[in-house]
Amino acid sequence: EELAIGAMQTDYNAETDAGSVYIVEGYDNRYQFKWDGGGSDSNWSTANNWVGNVVPGENDDVIFDDTSNKPCTVNISTTVASFNVESGSTITVTATSDLTVTGAFVFSTGTFNAGTTMLTIGGAFEFNNDSIFNCNTSTVTFNTTATTELTTATTFYGLRAVTTNKALRFTE
């Protein structure tokens, strides 16, 4: 039996908890990172824009809720485990650099401006009726064998499915 150890820099109450190590049996090395927009700019790469003042990484779940509706600019190429805009948020997220989400990409509300970037999705891709996806000249790549169901009126400039036997289902 294995015990993984992870260290955190936050207690999720926006207070730094430097030096503490939390030991959790079965730890999966994923944390939830919430956007609080506390930085002097709107950049993803600014640590002060995230609860706990740490920029999310490839094993992290990103959450935009009603904590802050300050716009977010994905200004660095980055990979995260999941990307979720929850109901109640009216945030506008604008990508100026490539974004890879290895799991689910869910927009319950708000706006995503894809710009000229590459957006790679490894899980579900959900845009609810209260959300907007502006494709501009971006390319969306689905990198999963799971069926992707597109249920809202979404326009794509470039759309790729790079996994053998990938199914895209378009429904109303």
Side-chain angles (χ1 to χ4, degrees):
E1 188 171 319
E2 239 178 63
L3 176 66
I5 299 175
M8 290 182 54
Q9 225 179 341
T10 181
D11 63 4
Y12 295 113
N13 290 322
E15 298 175 14
T16 301
D17 196 8
S20 295
V21 174
Y22 300 91
I23 300 174
V24 181
E25 189 171 352
Y27 171 76
D28 72 357
N29 199 30
R30 286 174 47 166
Y31 292 109
Q32 293 183 343
F33 282 75
K34 287 188 179 182
W35 176 264
D36 66 13
S40 61
D41 56 33
S42 294
N43 291 335
W44 178 286
S45 64
T46 300
N48 287 342
N49 282 326
W50 299 96
V51 171
N53 300 324
V54 177
V55 177
E58 66 182 287
N59 294 317
D60 301 321
D61 299 316
V62 171
I63 297 172
F64 295 90
D65 59 12
D66 59 0
T67 300
S68 173
N69 287 308
K70 178 180 178 179
C72 173
T73 301
V74 181
N75 65 314
I76 57 170
S77 292
T78 192
T79 299
V80 295
S82 69
F83 190 105
N84 188 5
V85 177
E86 297 178 348
S87 293
S89 176
T90 57
I91 194 159
T92 296
V93 178
T94 301
T96 59
S97 294
D98 296 344
L99 174 63
T100 299
V101 181
T102 57
F105 185 84
V106 178
F107 252 78
S108 295
T109 58
T111 302
F112 188 85
N113 297 315
T116 60
T117 64
M118 174 73 77
L119 176 61
T120 303
I121 308 297
F125 180 84
E126 298 177 23
F127 271 82
N128 295 332
N129 289 331
D130 293 333
S131 59
I132 299 168
F133 178 75
N134 293 319
C135 65
N136 300 319
T137 58
S138 65
T139 298
V140 177
T141 301
F142 293 105
N143 189 19
T144 176
T145 56
T147 298
T148 298
E149 189 164 341
L150 304 171
T151 58
T152 60
T154 303
T155 301
F156 294 96
Y157 180 81
L159 180 62
R160 296 176 55 210
V162 296
T163 308
T164 304
N165 298 322
K166 171 67 178 163
L168 294 175
R169 181 179 298 133
F170 298 90
T171 60
E172 287 186 70

